[in-house]
Amino acid sequence: MASLALAVADQALADLPPTHPCGTCPVRDIAVCGALDDASLRCFKEGGPTVAYDAGETVAFEGDAATSVYTLTAGLLRLSRFLPDGRRQIAGFLFPGDFLGLTLEKEHAFTVQAVVPSTLCRFPRPRFDSFAAGQPALERRLYALAAQELAAAREQLVLLGRKTATERIASFLLMLARRGRAEGTAADDIRIPVSRADMGDYLGLRIETVSRELSNLKAARVIQFTGRQTLRLCDRDRIEQLAEG
């Protein structure tokens, strides 16, 4: 029944008129608000202004009061934390359609920065919580999102704790491929929107190691660079084998 309700909501969203406040939103079908029908979505959006951040700007600092929640509609966000010795650990990246603020804590656990120019729908947390309490479909979507975040956190533990440098790079590329497909990119075409430094801080690798591993995959004809920040998976079976170890 839940999947049927979401399918009906998604169809309703697909038919939104351009005059609807979410009528031109590029991620309305994959964002958490995709669970809402036309009328509920309109009410929801009325309390959530669109905010924009330039590349490098900070959405929230670690330790800031978590007074708002966000849906990323365009761009890319980086979640990071600095260790006492000054090293940076990137906990993850948020892509268009992702939700920021799903936590029981009163403070942000990570610093959130825009990697590229980004736009978000921002909602005051008390209003969002009150609204969600009256929307069973939205609550189910949030529950599913929480489960996905938990699974991603566990995968990150395995990535950093057990996988080799090659396995980490392969896993990261497959993750980007999955996100690209969700956004309509061809199955084997990958856009790498982050720097080598960001990749290293996310994967627990030095920049030199990231560059070397990518060069090795290119030399082995597993990948082919098609641009400064794009590549193609030439041997998907091989990259999947490498990711699995």
Side-chain angles (χ1 to χ4, degrees):
M1 292 297 292
S3 59
L4 177 60
L6 290 177
V8 172
D10 286 344
Q11 180 59 45
L13 286 172
D15 298 332
L16 288 179
T19 54
H20 191 285
C22 300
T24 58
C25 177
V27 299
R28 63 180 186 268
D29 292 335
I30 60 175
V32 294
C33 49
L36 300 173
D37 60 28
D38 188 343
S40 297
L41 184 63
R42 183 181 294 274
C43 179
F44 181 62
K45 177 56 182 169
E46 286 175 353
T50 298
V51 292
Y53 293 87
D54 290 331
E57 279 196 282
T58 299
V59 179
F61 287 98
E62 177 186 351
D64 281 355
T67 56
S68 298
V69 297
Y70 307 82
T71 293
L72 179 64
T73 58
L76 181 72
L77 300 181
R78 175 178 58 228
L79 281 65
S80 62
R81 176 182 292 174
F82 281 93
L83 303 179
D85 62 3
R87 289 177 297 165
R88 182 184 65 165
Q89 176 63 54
I90 294 178
F93 299 96
L94 297 185
F95 296 83
D98 283 345
F99 185 76
L100 172 63
L102 186 61
T103 176
L104 296 176
E105 303 297 328
K106 295 182 179 180
E107 299 178 346
H108 286 282
F110 301 98
T111 293
V112 184
Q113 294 176 306
V115 179
V116 298
S118 303
T119 57
L120 305 93
C121 288
R122 181 179 64 199
F123 304 94
R125 189 180 188 91
R127 182 186 182 280
F128 177 84
D129 291 343
S130 177
F131 182 88
Q135 297 288 337
L138 180 58
E139 285 195 315
R140 287 193 294 270
R141 184 70 70 91
L142 288 169
Y143 179 84
L145 178 61
Q148 292 170 6
E149 288 193 359
L150 178 59
R154 289 173 173 170
E155 177 61 27
Q156 182 70 355
L157 288 175
V158 174
L159 185 77
L160 296 178
R162 294 297 180 184
K163 290 193 174 184
T164 66
T166 301
E167 292 164 356
R168 295 181 195 188
I169 293 292
S171 297
F172 184 72
L173 294 180
L174 286 176
M175 182 271 287
L176 291 179
R178 288 193 297 270
R179 296 303 308 228
R181 285 201 301 275
E183 297 175 21
T185 304
D188 292 328
D189 290 333
I190 297 177
R191 182 174 64 90
I192 304 180
V194 300
S195 66
R196 298 288 192 268
D198 281 356
M199 287 179 63
D201 287 348
Y202 176 66
L203 299 172
L205 301 172
R206 296 173 62 87
I207 297 177
E208 297 83 1
T209 304
V210 172
S211 296
R212 183 180 67 249
E213 292 295 335
L214 289 172
S215 296
N216 289 343
L217 290 174
K218 176 185 176 183
R221 298 185 179 180
V222 177
I223 64 173
Q224 175 189 2
F225 287 99
T226 56
R228 187 168 177 268
Q229 290 186 301
T230 58
L231 60 81
R232 178 172 296 118
L233 298 181
C234 302
D235 191 340
R236 176 172 283 273
D237 289 341
R238 180 56 179 157
I239 204 77
E240 289 178 346
Q241 291 172 0
L242 291 172
E244 294 172 359

